[in-house]
């Protein structure tokens, strides 16, 4: 039974050694294990866009589709790029969500697109523009169907006549 007590003492000493080692290592690398890991990623060039490479994010002038945006949205894209350049992706997502009402997953996707050098065709949560149709009869008929309470038929009509996705057609009918 003496060996059982000795074994317990050895286990306790090993656990204490591991705790001391981890604490010393975390102080050396950063404030905590996660922060230290992020600092290490920044040192070794893991970029905010998620790719392995230089970690350099293109400036606002290198973003595809920037010409479609107004001055406010261009400033937002520039701020997001600046945050991504400093490896502050979570903060960039928070900034986007405070300026544009959207869900977390949508905001993450938009920030990743901007980091990759593309601006989305339209911001999530933004009502779609009315599709270009040869005549306004589709919009008029959909508006009439909506007034009659036949929303599903209005959405089906818009989808059939314009080729929009289900989500886009529903958003358009909601705007009518």
């Amino acid at each position: 039974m003496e060996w059982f007590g000795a074994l317990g003492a050895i286990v306790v000493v090993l656990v204490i050694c591991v705790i001391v080692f981890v604490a010393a290592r975390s102080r050396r690398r950063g404030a905590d294990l996660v922060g230290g890991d992020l600092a290490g990623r920044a040192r070794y060039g893991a970029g905010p866009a998620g790719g392995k490479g230089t970690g350099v994010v293109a400036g606002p002038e290198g973003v595809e589709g920037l010409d479609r945006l107004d001055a406010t949205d261009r400033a937002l894209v520039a701020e997001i790029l600046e945050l991504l350049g400093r490896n502050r992706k979570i903060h960039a997502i928070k900034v986007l969500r405070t300026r544009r009402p959207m869900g977390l997953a949508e905001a993450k996707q938009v920030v990743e697109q901007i980091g990759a050098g593309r601006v989305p065709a339209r911001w999530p949560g933004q009502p779609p523009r009315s599709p270009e149709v040869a005549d306004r009869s589709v919009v008029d008929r959909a508006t009439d169907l909506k007034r009659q309470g036949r929303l599903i038929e209005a959405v089906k009509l818009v989808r059939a006549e314009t080729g929009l996705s289900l989500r886009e057609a529903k958003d358009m009918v909601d705007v009518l």
Side-chain angles (χ1 to χ4, degrees):
M1 284 305 216
E2 290 179 26
W3 63 270
F4 188 71
L7 182 63
I10 291 173
V11 168
V12 169
V13 169
L14 285 175
V15 168
I16 291 172
C17 288
V18 168
I19 290 172
V20 169
F21 175 75
V22 169
R25 184 177 166 118
S26 68
R27 277 192 217 114
R28 238 183 326 180
R29 291 184 70 196
D32 60 347
L33 290 176
V34 174
D37 184 48
L38 292 177
R41 286 183 63 206
R43 260 195 314 274
Y44 297 116
K52 297 176 184 170
T54 63
V56 176
V57 178
E61 62 280 347
V63 176
E64 177 183 318
L66 197 63
D67 55 337
R68 296 188 307 252
L69 302 179
D70 60 5
T72 306
D73 289 339
R74 285 183 188 154
L76 177 60
V77 168
E79 185 175 355
I80 289 171
L81 286 171
E82 190 265 330
L83 288 167
L84 289 175
R86 293 189 292 145
N87 287 332
R88 308 236 347 169
K89 183 177 179 180
I90 293 173
H91 190 70
I93 292 169
K94 287 180 182 179
V95 166
L96 179 61
R97 291 188 70 198
T98 59
R99 306 249 177 96
R100 294 279 184 183
M102 65 180 71
L104 180 61
E106 292 172 322
K108 179 182 178 286
Q109 184 179 24
V110 168
V111 166
E112 288 173 349
Q113 284 179 348
I114 291 172
R118 293 183 314 273
V119 174
R122 71 179 178 89
W123 299 100
Q126 176 184 8
R129 295 187 187 104
S130 186
E132 303 300 324
V133 290
D135 58 342
R136 300 292 295 175
S137 65
V138 174
V139 176
D140 294 337
R141 288 186 292 170
T143 304
D144 290 339
L145 288 171
K146 182 179 176 183
R147 284 188 193 136
Q148 296 171 8
R150 298 163 53 190
L151 292 175
I152 295 173
E153 292 177 36
V155 171
K156 284 182 180 180
L157 172 72
V158 170
R159 284 194 73 197
E161 295 292 327
T162 62
L164 292 175
S165 70
L166 178 62
R167 167 72 68 169
E168 292 170 333
K170 183 186 179 309
D171 289 345
M172 183 184 149
V173 169
D174 287 343
V175 171
L176 296 178

PDB file of all heavy atoms in Angstrom, residues 56-67 69 74 77-78 81 112-119:
ATOM      1  N   VAL A  56      -1.527  40.021 -46.145  1.00  0.00           N
ATOM      2  CA  VAL A  56      -1.786  41.362 -46.609  1.00  0.00           C
ATOM      3  C   VAL A  56      -3.185  41.423 -47.188  1.00  0.00           C
ATOM      4  O   VAL A  56      -3.571  40.599 -48.003  1.00  0.00           O
ATOM      5  CB  VAL A  56      -0.748  41.774 -47.684  1.00  0.00           C
ATOM      6  CG1 VAL A  56      -1.064  43.133 -48.244  1.00  0.00           C
ATOM      7  CG2 VAL A  56       0.641  41.704 -47.121  1.00  0.00           C
ATOM      8  N   VAL A  57      -3.957  42.381 -46.735  1.00  0.00           N
ATOM      9  CA  VAL A  57      -5.303  42.588 -47.249  1.00  0.00           C
ATOM     10  C   VAL A  57      -5.243  43.739 -48.225  1.00  0.00           C
ATOM     11  O   VAL A  57      -4.596  44.754 -47.961  1.00  0.00           O
ATOM     12  CB  VAL A  57      -6.280  42.902 -46.094  1.00  0.00           C
ATOM     13  CG1 VAL A  57      -7.666  43.171 -46.613  1.00  0.00           C
ATOM     14  CG2 VAL A  57      -6.305  41.757 -45.106  1.00  0.00           C
ATOM     15  N   ALA A  58      -5.918  43.588 -49.346  1.00  0.00           N
ATOM     16  CA  ALA A  58      -5.911  44.640 -50.360  1.00  0.00           C
ATOM     17  C   ALA A  58      -6.537  45.910 -49.804  1.00  0.00           C
ATOM     18  O   ALA A  58      -7.423  45.865 -48.972  1.00  0.00           O
ATOM     19  CB  ALA A  58      -6.691  44.175 -51.588  1.00  0.00           C
ATOM     20  N   GLY A  59      -6.050  47.053 -50.280  1.00  0.00           N
ATOM     21  CA  GLY A  59      -6.647  48.320 -49.883  1.00  0.00           C
ATOM     22  C   GLY A  59      -7.994  48.493 -50.553  1.00  0.00           C
ATOM     23  O   GLY A  59      -8.389  47.702 -51.409  1.00  0.00           O
ATOM     24  N   PRO A  60      -8.740  49.542 -50.190  1.00  0.00           N
ATOM     25  CA  PRO A  60     -10.068  49.740 -50.767  1.00  0.00           C
ATOM     26  C   PRO A  60     -10.056  49.851 -52.283  1.00  0.00           C
ATOM     27  O   PRO A  60     -11.005  49.446 -52.940  1.00  0.00           O
ATOM     28  CB  PRO A  60     -10.547  51.045 -50.134  1.00  0.00           C
ATOM     29  CG  PRO A  60      -9.698  51.258 -48.946  1.00  0.00           C
ATOM     30  CD  PRO A  60      -8.425  50.530 -49.188  1.00  0.00           C
ATOM     31  N   GLU A  61      -8.971  50.364 -52.848  1.00  0.00           N
ATOM     32  CA  GLU A  61      -8.933  50.519 -54.305  1.00  0.00           C
ATOM     33  C   GLU A  61      -8.827  49.185 -55.031  1.00  0.00           C
ATOM     34  O   GLU A  61      -9.163  49.084 -56.194  1.00  0.00           O
ATOM     35  CB  GLU A  61      -7.769  51.430 -54.721  1.00  0.00           C
ATOM     36  CG  GLU A  61      -6.397  50.912 -54.346  1.00  0.00           C
ATOM     37  CD  GLU A  61      -6.012  51.157 -52.894  1.00  0.00           C
ATOM     38  OE1 GLU A  61      -6.666  51.937 -52.199  1.00  0.00           O
ATOM     39  OE2 GLU A  61      -5.037  50.524 -52.452  1.00  0.00           O
ATOM     40  N   GLY A  62      -8.394  48.129 -54.336  1.00  0.00           N
ATOM     41  CA  GLY A  62      -8.256  46.827 -54.968  1.00  0.00           C
ATOM     42  C   GLY A  62      -9.482  45.939 -54.825  1.00  0.00           C
ATOM     43  O   GLY A  62      -9.456  44.791 -55.226  1.00  0.00           O
ATOM     44  N   VAL A  63     -10.560  46.471 -54.272  1.00  0.00           N
ATOM     45  CA  VAL A  63     -11.753  45.666 -54.028  1.00  0.00           C
ATOM     46  C   VAL A  63     -12.659  45.711 -55.246  1.00  0.00           C
ATOM     47  O   VAL A  63     -12.992  46.787 -55.753  1.00  0.00           O
ATOM     48  CB  VAL A  63     -12.506  46.171 -52.769  1.00  0.00           C
ATOM     49  CG1 VAL A  63     -13.792  45.404 -52.568  1.00  0.00           C
ATOM     50  CG2 VAL A  63     -11.620  46.042 -51.553  1.00  0.00           C
ATOM     51  N   GLU A  64     -13.054  44.530 -55.690  1.00  0.00           N
ATOM     52  CA  GLU A  64     -13.920  44.401 -56.856  1.00  0.00           C
ATOM     53  C   GLU A  64     -15.348  44.805 -56.490  1.00  0.00           C
ATOM     54  O   GLU A  64     -15.890  44.376 -55.491  1.00  0.00           O
ATOM     55  CB  GLU A  64     -13.889  42.938 -57.295  1.00  0.00           C
ATOM     56  CG  GLU A  64     -14.782  42.585 -58.451  1.00  0.00           C
ATOM     57  CD  GLU A  64     -14.711  41.094 -58.728  1.00  0.00           C
ATOM     58  OE1 GLU A  64     -13.611  40.529 -58.693  1.00  0.00           O
ATOM     59  OE2 GLU A  64     -15.784  40.522 -58.967  1.00  0.00           O
ATOM     60  N   GLY A  65     -15.966  45.661 -57.284  1.00  0.00           N
ATOM     61  CA  GLY A  65     -17.348  46.075 -57.073  1.00  0.00           C
ATOM     62  C   GLY A  65     -17.488  47.315 -56.215  1.00  0.00           C
ATOM     63  O   GLY A  65     -18.596  47.698 -55.848  1.00  0.00           O
ATOM     64  N   LEU A  66     -16.384  47.962 -55.874  1.00  0.00           N
ATOM     65  CA  LEU A  66     -16.429  49.147 -55.023  1.00  0.00           C
ATOM     66  C   LEU A  66     -17.104  50.321 -55.725  1.00  0.00           C
ATOM     67  O   LEU A  66     -17.705  51.170 -55.073  1.00  0.00           O
ATOM     68  CB  LEU A  66     -15.007  49.519 -54.598  1.00  0.00           C
ATOM     69  CG  LEU A  66     -14.869  50.463 -53.418  1.00  0.00           C
ATOM     70  CD1 LEU A  66     -15.439  49.825 -52.169  1.00  0.00           C
ATOM     71  CD2 LEU A  66     -13.417  50.824 -53.193  1.00  0.00           C
ATOM     72  N   ASP A  67     -17.041  50.346 -57.046  1.00  0.00           N
ATOM     73  CA  ASP A  67     -17.636  51.448 -57.799  1.00  0.00           C
ATOM     74  C   ASP A  67     -19.155  51.493 -57.691  1.00  0.00           C
ATOM     75  O   ASP A  67     -19.764  52.530 -57.935  1.00  0.00           O
ATOM     76  CB  ASP A  67     -17.207  51.375 -59.270  1.00  0.00           C
ATOM     77  CG  ASP A  67     -17.530  50.028 -59.902  1.00  0.00           C
ATOM     78  OD1 ASP A  67     -17.668  49.034 -59.165  1.00  0.00           O
ATOM     79  OD2 ASP A  67     -17.627  49.976 -61.144  1.00  0.00           O
ATOM     80  N   LEU A  69     -20.806  51.240 -54.918  1.00  0.00           N
ATOM     81  CA  LEU A  69     -21.182  51.705 -53.584  1.00  0.00           C
ATOM     82  C   LEU A  69     -21.166  53.220 -53.487  1.00  0.00           C
ATOM     83  O   LEU A  69     -20.422  53.898 -54.188  1.00  0.00           O
ATOM     84  CB  LEU A  69     -20.220  51.124 -52.548  1.00  0.00           C
ATOM     85  CG  LEU A  69     -20.117  49.607 -52.485  1.00  0.00           C
ATOM     86  CD1 LEU A  69     -19.100  49.199 -51.436  1.00  0.00           C
ATOM     87  CD2 LEU A  69     -21.466  48.980 -52.192  1.00  0.00           C
ATOM     88  N   ARG A  74     -18.447  52.875 -49.027  1.00  0.00           N
ATOM     89  CA  ARG A  74     -17.011  52.804 -49.301  1.00  0.00           C
ATOM     90  C   ARG A  74     -16.212  53.002 -48.020  1.00  0.00           C
ATOM     91  O   ARG A  74     -15.210  52.327 -47.789  1.00  0.00           O
ATOM     92  CB  ARG A  74     -16.613  53.856 -50.329  1.00  0.00           C
ATOM     93  CG  ARG A  74     -17.021  53.499 -51.725  1.00  0.00           C
ATOM     94  CD  ARG A  74     -16.536  54.524 -52.716  1.00  0.00           C
ATOM     95  NE  ARG A  74     -17.111  54.218 -54.006  1.00  0.00           N
ATOM     96  CZ  ARG A  74     -17.331  55.098 -54.955  1.00  0.00           C
ATOM     97  NH1 ARG A  74     -16.987  56.356 -54.769  1.00  0.00           N
ATOM     98  NH2 ARG A  74     -17.868  54.741 -56.092  1.00  0.00           N
ATOM     99  N   VAL A  77     -16.398  49.780 -46.049  1.00  0.00           N
ATOM    100  CA  VAL A  77     -15.501  48.770 -46.614  1.00  0.00           C
ATOM    101  C   VAL A  77     -14.055  49.087 -46.241  1.00  0.00           C
ATOM    102  O   VAL A  77     -13.285  48.194 -45.867  1.00  0.00           O
ATOM    103  CB  VAL A  77     -15.678  48.670 -48.149  1.00  0.00           C
ATOM    104  CG1 VAL A  77     -14.563  47.845 -48.776  1.00  0.00           C
ATOM    105  CG2 VAL A  77     -17.034  48.074 -48.489  1.00  0.00           C
ATOM    106  N   ALA A  78     -13.675  50.364 -46.303  1.00  0.00           N
ATOM    107  CA  ALA A  78     -12.308  50.751 -45.934  1.00  0.00           C
ATOM    108  C   ALA A  78     -12.036  50.444 -44.458  1.00  0.00           C
ATOM    109  O   ALA A  78     -10.950  49.948 -44.110  1.00  0.00           O
ATOM    110  CB  ALA A  78     -12.095  52.237 -46.214  1.00  0.00           C
ATOM    111  N   LEU A  81     -11.614  46.670 -44.074  1.00  0.00           N
ATOM    112  CA  LEU A  81     -10.294  46.257 -44.576  1.00  0.00           C
ATOM    113  C   LEU A  81      -9.183  46.637 -43.604  1.00  0.00           C
ATOM    114  O   LEU A  81      -8.237  45.874 -43.402  1.00  0.00           O
ATOM    115  CB  LEU A  81     -10.032  46.871 -45.949  1.00  0.00           C
ATOM    116  CG  LEU A  81     -10.820  46.242 -47.100  1.00  0.00           C
ATOM    117  CD1 LEU A  81     -10.649  47.072 -48.361  1.00  0.00           C
ATOM    118  CD2 LEU A  81     -10.375  44.817 -47.326  1.00  0.00           C
ATOM    119  N   GLU A 112     -15.702  38.221 -44.882  1.00  0.00           N
ATOM    120  CA  GLU A 112     -14.772  37.338 -45.590  1.00  0.00           C
ATOM    121  C   GLU A 112     -14.711  37.678 -47.076  1.00  0.00           C
ATOM    122  O   GLU A 112     -13.641  37.629 -47.685  1.00  0.00           O
ATOM    123  CB  GLU A 112     -15.158  35.880 -45.376  1.00  0.00           C
ATOM    124  CG  GLU A 112     -14.859  35.403 -43.967  1.00  0.00           C
ATOM    125  CD  GLU A 112     -15.383  34.014 -43.668  1.00  0.00           C
ATOM    126  OE1 GLU A 112     -16.172  33.468 -44.478  1.00  0.00           O
ATOM    127  OE2 GLU A 112     -15.011  33.473 -42.619  1.00  0.00           O
ATOM    128  N   GLN A 113     -15.861  38.029 -47.671  1.00  0.00           N
ATOM    129  CA  GLN A 113     -15.857  38.429 -49.079  1.00  0.00           C
ATOM    130  C   GLN A 113     -15.043  39.704 -49.275  1.00  0.00           C
ATOM    131  O   GLN A 113     -14.257  39.810 -50.214  1.00  0.00           O
ATOM    132  CB  GLN A 113     -17.288  38.670 -49.575  1.00  0.00           C
ATOM    133  CG  GLN A 113     -18.078  37.425 -49.834  1.00  0.00           C
ATOM    134  CD  GLN A 113     -19.489  37.744 -50.304  1.00  0.00           C
ATOM    135  OE1 GLN A 113     -19.951  38.881 -50.222  1.00  0.00           O
ATOM    136  NE2 GLN A 113     -20.197  36.724 -50.767  1.00  0.00           N
ATOM    137  N   ILE A 114     -15.234  40.664 -48.382  1.00  0.00           N
ATOM    138  CA  ILE A 114     -14.489  41.921 -48.489  1.00  0.00           C
ATOM    139  C   ILE A 114     -12.999  41.650 -48.306  1.00  0.00           C
ATOM    140  O   ILE A 114     -12.162  42.201 -49.024  1.00  0.00           O
ATOM    141  CB  ILE A 114     -15.015  42.952 -47.467  1.00  0.00           C
ATOM    142  CG1 ILE A 114     -16.424  43.403 -47.873  1.00  0.00           C
ATOM    143  CG2 ILE A 114     -14.076  44.150 -47.361  1.00  0.00           C
ATOM    144  CD1 ILE A 114     -17.120  44.263 -46.844  1.00  0.00           C
ATOM    145  N   GLY A 115     -12.654  40.775 -47.366  1.00  0.00           N
ATOM    146  CA  GLY A 115     -11.252  40.416 -47.158  1.00  0.00           C
ATOM    147  C   GLY A 115     -10.643  39.739 -48.373  1.00  0.00           C
ATOM    148  O   GLY A 115      -9.449  39.856 -48.631  1.00  0.00           O
ATOM    149  N   ALA A 116     -11.484  39.027 -49.135  1.00  0.00           N
ATOM    150  CA  ALA A 116     -11.013  38.362 -50.346  1.00  0.00           C
ATOM    151  C   ALA A 116     -10.985  39.308 -51.545  1.00  0.00           C
ATOM    152  O   ALA A 116     -10.570  38.917 -52.633  1.00  0.00           O
ATOM    153  CB  ALA A 116     -11.900  37.159 -50.660  1.00  0.00           C
ATOM    154  N   GLY A 117     -11.455  40.566 -51.350  1.00  0.00           N
ATOM    155  CA  GLY A 117     -11.376  41.549 -52.431  1.00  0.00           C
ATOM    156  C   GLY A 117     -12.650  41.694 -53.237  1.00  0.00           C
ATOM    157  O   GLY A 117     -12.614  42.198 -54.351  1.00  0.00           O
ATOM    158  N   ARG A 118     -13.794  41.263 -52.686  1.00  0.00           N
ATOM    159  CA  ARG A 118     -15.067  41.398 -53.400  1.00  0.00           C
ATOM    160  C   ARG A 118     -16.098  42.055 -52.488  1.00  0.00           C
ATOM    161  O   ARG A 118     -16.149  41.782 -51.301  1.00  0.00           O
ATOM    162  CB  ARG A 118     -15.605  40.026 -53.801  1.00  0.00           C
ATOM    163  CG  ARG A 118     -14.781  39.307 -54.824  1.00  0.00           C
ATOM    164  CD  ARG A 118     -15.428  37.983 -55.236  1.00  0.00           C
ATOM    165  NE  ARG A 118     -15.898  37.174 -54.114  1.00  0.00           N
ATOM    166  CZ  ARG A 118     -15.155  36.300 -53.436  1.00  0.00           C
ATOM    167  NH1 ARG A 118     -13.898  36.143 -53.751  1.00  0.00           N
ATOM    168  NH2 ARG A 118     -15.657  35.599 -52.448  1.00  0.00           N
ATOM    169  N   VAL A 119     -16.912  42.911 -53.067  1.00  0.00           N
ATOM    170  CA  VAL A 119     -18.027  43.511 -52.344  1.00  0.00           C
ATOM    171  C   VAL A 119     -19.286  42.790 -52.803  1.00  0.00           C
ATOM    172  O   VAL A 119     -19.457  42.543 -54.003  1.00  0.00           O
ATOM    173  CB  VAL A 119     -18.132  45.024 -52.648  1.00  0.00           C
ATOM    174  CG1 VAL A 119     -19.371  45.621 -52.021  1.00  0.00           C
ATOM    175  CG2 VAL A 119     -16.903  45.734 -52.155  1.00  0.00           C
TER     176      VAL A 119
END
